Amino acid sequence: MLRRLFTAATLTLAMTAAYPQTPLPPINADTEAVFVKLTAHAGVKQAVDFIKADDERTLKDQIELTEIAAPPFKEPVRANEYQKRLKALGLADARIDAEGNVIAVRKGSGNGPVLVVSAHLDTVFPEGTDVKVKVKGNRYEAPGIYDDGRGLAALLSVLRALNQASLKTVGDIVFVGTVGEEELGDLRGVKALFRDNQGIDGFISLDGLDIGRIVNQATGSRRFRIIYTGPGGHSFSAFGLPSATHALGRAIAKISDVRTTDEPKTTFTVGTLKGGTSVNAIAAEAELGLDMRSNSAAELKKLEDRIMALAREAADDENKRWDKKDVIKVAFKLVGDRPAGAGQLDSPMVHAARRGVATVGGEVRSIAASSTDSNLPISLGIPAVTLGGGGVGGGSHGPSEWFSPVNAWLGPQNTLLTVLSLVGVDGVTAPLLPKRVR
């Protein structure tokens, strides 16, 4: 019955991954009661309808923001533009913090929870990448067009809807554009956000497209540069000295034979290699880039300990091969640390997100694990989910990344309803999101 209040639609799955599914508990009575009141409220219905009418404007924002390059560690130009747009929508306090995050608060009536809704400003693409959006029918192609240009634009649509319907919330809504979500940014933006702001009660990230996929499990990762060094020398006259590149090869062979668990999913890869100076020189230095991931912090630690031991063993083997001792040395440099964690399936945050999807006519197909800005709050025990921004797309992190605005308004509609249920609407509903004990 509630679904008739909103537009139902057939959703096209944009990015699908298979995850073992635990049967979901029924949506609890408190959440159902709140959504009954929300969907009957004229102002809320006005806001939801506005988002659909705002769809073309949201796509325009998405294209314009995508065409502002935001390479890793070089997000300021896009950040300045995002700050400007938040201010234009009435959030006069919009600021850029010391780390580069854009932060703006839409104050509630008081005594409610503080909920962050965010999207990330950065892309994976290096400086100089052509980010001009190319239109091919109903398909828009450009690096970063949906990861996370869509999330940034959807947040602006949610804010416009709140303003259009003059909705006053009980809790505060903090709109954030984060830096450092991608590549070796190592979640530096969201880490700074929680380091510098102790009063956050809940967190929502918009990342990806499919509203039928709710992320509340944090896939952790540890990334290292493993560096082998030695004296080096001429390939003929110095023959007999251990080689940094040979040690590196031994390490890769050992690492490639490591076995990991399927559940919890745990993975590794040697992604990059470099070293040596000449084809006729014994290498003095060589290094590899290692990525390790797991949905379990304990499994991730076990994997790290195992691979570090093998890397040291490779140096020892290379030294022994030439009857030397401690000539080749190995060092480890941590370059990425994304904490793992698991949110509760029965939390108010997940119930609200599931009910939001159902209300706009969608279906939750998976409660998933992924690596997003939500990793940090989940690891801290703070309720957090990552939601889809709506529409369909493909080619994420590639030069031919594309987006099509098929039923795209469902993303910001779902976000709006989820947010309103969590922070409460003044005089209509109490917040579902509890305030944390400080």
Side-chain angles (χ1 to χ4, degrees), residues 156-167:
L156 296 178
S157 185
V158 168
L159 180 54
R160 283 193 291 269
L162 290 168
N163 293 344
Q164 176 71 21
S166 301
L167 288 173

Side-chain angles (χ1 to χ4, degrees), residues 201-224:
D201 298 296
F203 181 89
I204 293 174
S205 173
L206 294 189
D207 201 348
L209 301 176
D210 179 27
I211 70 168
R213 181 175 182 263
I214 297 170
V215 173
N216 88 320
Q217 315 260 339
T219 300
S221 67
R222 296 272 285 178
R223 294 171 175 172
F224 284 88

Side-chain angles (χ1 to χ4, degrees), residues 8 37 69 106 138 140 184 200 217 236 247 314 343-344 375 417 427 434:
K37 291 179 180 178
R106 192 177 193 271
N138 198 36
Y140 299 79
L184 293 179
I200 298 172
Q217 315 260 339
F236 191 77
Q344 298 297 315
N375 279 44
L417 290 168

Side-chain angles (χ1 to χ4, degrees), residues 327-398:
V327 172
I328 293 294
K329 299 183 185 301
V330 61
F332 306 93
K333 182 174 181 181
L334 180 67
V335 293
D337 184 9
R338 295 179 176 228
Q344 298 297 315
L345 287 177
D346 208 19
S347 72
M349 182 77 73
V350 173
H351 280 288
R354 289 171 57 200
R355 194 64 183 82
V357 171
T359 303
V360 300
E363 178 184 355
V364 175
R365 285 179 288 274
S366 67
I367 304 294
S370 189
S371 181
T372 69
D373 271 339
S374 292
N375 279 44
L376 200 281
I378 289 172
S379 74
L380 297 173
I382 297 171
V385 293
T386 297
L387 305 177
V392 297
S396 177
H397 290 194

Side-chain angles (χ1 to χ4, degrees), residues 165-179:
S166 301
L167 288 173
K168 183 72 172 176
T169 58
V170 179
D172 295 350
I173 306 172
V174 185
F175 289 84
V176 178
T178 63
V179 295

